[in-house]
C-alpha cells in the first residue's frame, strides 16, 4: 500500500520526492511508545526501503517522545499480565532499522526526548534540534534501566556520557547534547537546519546511500552483538513486581516512587 494512502493511528506520514517525513502523533499520551506505534513505524520504514532515500523522524512541538507508555503497561497489569506485556525485541529492531536501513535517517527534535525517545534519537544518522529541546533518561527513578537504549546511545556519545545520563536521570540541554555529540546541530530555528540538510541530501542517489549504510553496518556490528543482553536486561527489570507497582502507582496518582501517599 502506498505510504500516502494508508491510514495511521499513531503517526503522520508523508512522502515528498524520496524524502519520507514520519511524525510521531500521540499528543494525548505525550508521544509515548506503545505497541501500535512500534508496529506502524516498522511498517512505514519497511515501505521506505524502496520508496525513500531520506527518512525524517519528528514529534510534536512540546514533546518528541516521552518514552514507554506507562498507561498501557498499567492496563495490562490490571488484566493479569505479570510483566506488563513488555516484549522489547520489536522496538530494538525498529531502532536497528533506523540505524542501518538503506536511507539516511534524521531525527528532528523539538521539546522533550526522554527514555525510549532517546532510543529513536540516538538510532538516527543525523540529529537536529531546536535550542529548547531536552534529552533525558528517567528509567532508574522507577527501578528500570534504559537497557535497549544504551547500545544506540553509547554508539553515539560513548559509555561515560551514556552512563552519566543513566545514573543522574537529569535531562540535558540541547547545547550540552550538541557538545557531547548526541545532537549534530541545534538552532532556535531547527526547521532551517532541516531544510539545509535536505537540500544536500536530495542530490544523493539512493543506491549510493544504501551501499554506504550497508558498509557502515558491517564496520560496526555492536548493535547486533548487544541485542541479546539488552533484551534480557529489559525483560529482567519489567519482570520485577516492585518496579511494575511503581509504574502503576505513577499512572494512578501521578506520584513518583519516593513521594508519600497523598
Amino acid at each position: 500500500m502506498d505510504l500516502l494512502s494508508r491510514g495511521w493511528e499513531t503517526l503522520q506520514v508523508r512522502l515528498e520526492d524520496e524524502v519520507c517525513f514520519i511524525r510521531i502523533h500521540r499528543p494525548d499520551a505525550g508521544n509515548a511508545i506503545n505497541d501500535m506505534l512500534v508496529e506502524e513505524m516498522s511498517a512505514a520504514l519497511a515501505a521506505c526501503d524502496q520508496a525513500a532515500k531520506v527518512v525524517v523522524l519528528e514529534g510534536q512541538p512540546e514533546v518528541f517522545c516521552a518514552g514507554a507508555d506507562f498507561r498501557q503497561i498499567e492496563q495490562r497489569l490490571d488484566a493479569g499480565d505479570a510483566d506488563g506485556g513488555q516484549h522489547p525485541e520489536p522496538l530494538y529492531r525498529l531502532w536497528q532499522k533506523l540505524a542501518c536501513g538503506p536511507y539516511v535517517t534524521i531525527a528532528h527534535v523539538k521539546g522533550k526526548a526522554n527514555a525510549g525517545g532517546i532510543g529513536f534519537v540516538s538510532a538516527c544518522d543525523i540529529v537536529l534540534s531546536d535550542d529548547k529541546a531536552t534529552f533525558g533518561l528517567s528509567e532508574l527513578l522507577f527501578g528500570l534501566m534504559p537497557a535497549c537504549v544504551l547500545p544506540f546511545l553509547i554508539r553515539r556519545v560513548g559509555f561515560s556520557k551514556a552512563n552519566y545520563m543513566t545514573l543522574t536521570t537529569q535531562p540535558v540541554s540541547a547545547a550540552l547534547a550538541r557538545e557531547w555529540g548526541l545532537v549534530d546541530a541545534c538552532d532556535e530555528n531547527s526547521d532551517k537546519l532541516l531544510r539545509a540538510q535536505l537540500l544536500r541530501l536530495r542530490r544523493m542517489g539512493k543506491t549510493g546511500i544504501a551501499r554506504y549504510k550497508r558498509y557502515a553496518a558491517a564496520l560496526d556490528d555492536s548493535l547486533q552483538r548487544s541485542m541479546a543482553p539488552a533484551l534480557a536486561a529489559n525483560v529482567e527489570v519489567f519482570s520485577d513486581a516492585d518496579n511494575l507497582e511503581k509504574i502503576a502507582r505513577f499512572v494512578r496518582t501521578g506520584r513518583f516512587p519516593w513521594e508519600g501517599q497523598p
Side-chain angles (χ1 to χ4, degrees):
M1 182 177 293
D2 189 282
L3 275 172
L4 295 177
S5 63
R6 171 171 174 168
W8 305 93
E9 181 178 317
T10 66
L11 305 175
Q12 294 176 334
V13 181
R14 74 183 193 276
L15 185 65
E16 297 178 359
D17 300 325
E18 295 186 284
V19 177
C20 183
F21 295 85
I22 302 176
R23 183 181 299 278
I24 302 172
H25 186 66
R26 300 193 67 218
D28 295 335
N31 271 9
I33 304 165
N34 66 357
D35 290 348
M36 181 59 70
L37 173 61
V38 175
E39 179 182 329
E40 289 193 333
M41 193 176 297
S42 297
L45 291 180
C48 287
D49 282 355
Q50 298 299 321
K53 61 186 179 184
V54 181
V55 173
V56 179
L57 181 60
E58 300 179 299
Q60 305 301 316
E62 299 302 321
V63 58
F64 176 77
C65 175
D69 188 339
F70 278 8
R71 187 168 298 279
Q72 181 181 71
I73 295 171
E74 192 263 347
Q75 289 169 347
R76 287 176 168 171
L77 288 171
D78 286 347
D81 199 329
D83 62 358
Q86 292 302 288
H87 305 289
E89 185 170 349
L91 180 57
Y92 191 98
R93 291 194 180 277
L94 170 57
W95 291 339
Q96 196 171 22
K97 184 73 169 178
L98 284 169
C100 304
Y103 29 67
V104 178
T105 52
I106 302 175
H108 181 204
V109 183
K110 297 180 181 180
K112 179 174 72 173
N114 181 62
I118 301 298
F120 283 112
V121 172
S122 55
C124 287
D125 298 313
I126 298 169
V127 180
L128 310 175
S129 81
D130 69 15
D131 58 2
K132 294 181 175 61
T134 61
F135 303 83
L137 296 174
S138 61
E139 286 90 340
L140 275 179
L141 296 175
F142 295 89
L144 307 172
M145 69 173 87
C148 291
V149 173
L150 281 174
F152 298 88
L153 183 58
I154 290 169
R155 186 169 175 255
R156 256 208 166 256
V157 303
F159 179 82
S160 63
K161 297 296 189 296
N163 188 52
Y164 176 86
M165 290 180 68
T166 301
L167 292 175
T168 64
T169 72
Q170 290 289 333
V172 301
S173 67
L176 187 55
R178 170 70 181 88
E179 181 181 326
W180 287 357
L182 178 56
V183 170
D184 295 301
C186 67
D187 190 85
E188 180 181 6
N189 186 351
S190 59
D191 294 325
K192 179 182 68 175
L193 293 176
L194 179 60
R195 287 194 297 271
Q197 289 285 345
L198 293 179
L199 184 65
R200 191 78 173 183
L201 290 172
R202 288 179 192 274
R203 298 173 179 173
M204 299 181 184
K206 180 166 177 59
T207 299
I209 290 171
R211 282 176 177 159
Y212 167 71
K213 289 294 293 287
R214 186 168 60 248
Y215 172 63
L219 286 178
D220 178 5
D221 66 346
S222 61
L223 298 180
Q224 187 61 37
R225 286 187 286 105
S226 298
M227 182 166 65
L231 298 182
N234 183 279
V235 169
E236 179 183 4
V237 294
F238 278 101
S239 298
D240 186 316
D242 184 55
N243 291 345
L244 295 174
E245 173 54 31
K246 292 172 184 175
I247 291 172
R249 179 178 180 265
F250 180 76
V251 171
R252 292 192 302 264
T253 69
R255 301 178 76 82
F256 288 99
W258 62 88
E259 296 179 311
Q261 294 295 337

